[in-house]
Amino acid sequence: MPLEDGDPVRPRGRQVNGEVSGIPRLRGMGDASLRGTTAPGGSRTDVMAEGWEPGTALGDGNVTPGGAPQRACQPEEALMTELSELVQKVVKSSSWWERHGTDISILACSFLLLPAGFLCLRSAQAIPFLAGVLTLGVVHHTLTVKGSHLASHNALTESKSWSKVWAVFFIELCSAFTVEQATYNHVKIHHGYTNVIGLGDSSTWKLPFLNRYVYMFIAPLAVPILTPLVALDLLRHVEWKAALRTLCCMFLGFYCHYWLLLHVSGFQSPWSALLCMLVTRSLLAHPYIHVNIFQHIGLPMFAADRKPKRIHLMSLGVLNLPRNPLLDWSFGHSLISCHVEHHLFPSLSDNMCLKIKPVVSQYLKQKKLPYNEDTYSSRLWLFLQRYEELMVHAPPITELVGIQ
């Protein structure tokens, strides 16, 4: 799918400023569309987005973005296998601090900043009060975005038991969402079928009835309100025990925040406390929405029965943004500058995604595969210019050619 004005709808598979401007047609790569996938609380799913672990190589087919097949120099599954082995070496040579400690320390520091944030809100002066709003806003997004994302991928710890505990804490208590639905929709569907039309194509972020300016600049303010409402609706699809647990965690998270604003920050009325909750919880909602659409929508889209193999699916359909201190801290490297690495190896922590970034980027470029990168401002301008095409109309399906 083209990303530059003036490009034809399907040019000849090249990259312009880090954006894929055209993709060749796919032949002879008929993957099954969606085998055995069911909603959480149902039976099972055959999607193995989280299947990579250190020491396990994921095999994939061999496609070049320019349409020319890579000759018999490498078997079909050699690319992902070779890349997995390179990444495995980096992981094995890394300490626990690099694998988990750095990200855990960021989350711990965020917790330690909470008292300062609530106490700053007691001040009648503008600067300390705004400092409190900023602190609580950043802490909220660090816990709900970075913490929930790492927990959903079991990237916080190597213990399965603790992984479940942290998932409930960050996703349900902090984020007001249900673990089962978050894991299913994000890990199984979005990661398993990245940019596959009707499955992992990020269509859940589209609101075609809104115009571009409302969607990009006003609607994000409603994220703190819409998130629990969507979560409550999705509780219909989980077992009653999970639904009850989620309801209790959601209520506890909201009430704790509200109680602290009243009794620690000194707010005099419930409405002022609720308004402060809305402001702090929506402080980084704009980049949160933007990041979720910038890194997938506008890149190649595929039909479920004609999608390429994993390494090509992720290199074509995922984009990295530049590093940003605020977003790196609040959202994590895997959602900002290492999103390609995260989609290839989703069980790795943010810090490990950053560490393997040179290995992955060098390997993909060496194999003539796309390694999509673009700036935040460039993507914002692109979406404002082509909002109707990218966010309202159904995107065209990419076809790859030259596959032997």
Side-chain angles (χ1 to χ4, degrees), residues 28-91:
M29 299 185 69
D31 290 349
S33 60
L34 185 58
R35 296 187 296 271
T37 301
T38 58
S43 56
R44 64 184 178 83
T45 177
D46 288 335
V47 182
M48 294 302 292
E50 288 293 275
W52 184 86
E53 295 292 344
T56 302
L58 296 178
D60 285 294
N62 195 6
V63 185
T64 58
Q70 292 221 16
R71 305 300 177 186
C73 59
Q74 287 184 319
E76 183 178 286
E77 298 188 355
L79 286 176
M80 194 65 199
T81 300
E82 186 177 6
L83 178 57
S84 296
E85 290 173 351
L86 293 174
V87 170
Q88 176 192 347
K89 292 179 181 178
V90 178
V91 174

Side-chain angles (χ1 to χ4, degrees), residues 139 254 257 273 349 384:
V139 168
F254 280 116
H257 192 177
S349 66
L384 289 176

Side-chain angles (χ1 to χ4, degrees), residues 190-378:
H190 175 64
H191 273 267
Y193 297 92
T194 301
N195 281 24
V196 173
I197 298 295
L199 294 171
D201 60 357
S202 301
S203 59
T204 54
W205 296 102
K206 296 182 179 181
L207 298 173
F209 55 88
L210 298 178
N211 70 50
R212 66 195 68 202
Y213 299 105
V214 172
Y215 178 86
M216 300 296 288
F217 302 112
I218 299 177
L221 297 174
V223 168
I225 300 173
L226 294 177
T227 298
L229 294 179
V230 172
L232 290 174
D233 179 67
L234 292 175
L235 290 181
R236 298 180 291 109
H237 305 293
V238 301
E239 295 180 353
W240 71 268
K241 292 182 180 179
L244 181 61
R245 181 200 67 220
T246 300
L247 288 172
C248 292
C249 289
M250 289 173 63
F251 174 78
L252 182 60
F254 280 116
Y255 184 75
C256 286
H257 192 177
Y258 174 77
W259 188 91
L260 288 169
L261 289 174
L262 288 180
H263 295 87
V264 176
S265 300
F267 281 83
Q268 299 300 313
S269 71
W271 291 111
S272 61
L274 291 174
L275 178 61
C276 185
M277 287 178 64
L278 177 62
V279 171
T280 55
R281 288 171 178 248
S282 63
L283 187 70
L284 297 179
H286 289 82
Y288 174 72
I289 292 294
H290 294 168
V291 164
N292 275 284
I293 62 175
F294 288 175
Q295 293 178 316
H296 296 288
I297 298 175
L299 295 173
M301 299 284 180
F302 305 94
D305 60 345
R306 297 203 309 274
K307 67 182 179 70
K309 296 292 185 176
R310 180 176 180 80
I311 192 170
H312 311 291
L313 186 66
M314 301 311 174
S315 65
L316 288 166
V318 186
L319 177 142
N320 285 344
L321 295 170
R323 293 193 63 178
N324 177 286
L326 178 60
L327 298 185
D328 286 346
W329 178 279
S330 302
F331 295 173
H333 300 298
S334 62
L335 289 180
I336 306 300
S337 62
C338 303
H339 205 51
V340 174
E341 289 75 12
H342 169 64
H343 268 258
L344 286 167
F345 304 100
S347 63
L348 295 182
S349 66
D350 289 331
N351 188 63
M352 281 308 304
C353 284
L354 185 64
K355 188 172 181 179
I356 68 168
K357 182 181 175 73
V359 175
V360 173
S361 61
Q362 181 180 2
Y363 183 85
L364 293 181
K365 292 172 183 177
Q366 176 186 350
K367 300 301 180 182
K368 305 285 193 267
L369 290 170
Y371 187 77
N372 299 308
E373 296 179 296
D374 200 5
T375 64
Y376 191 104
S377 59
S378 174

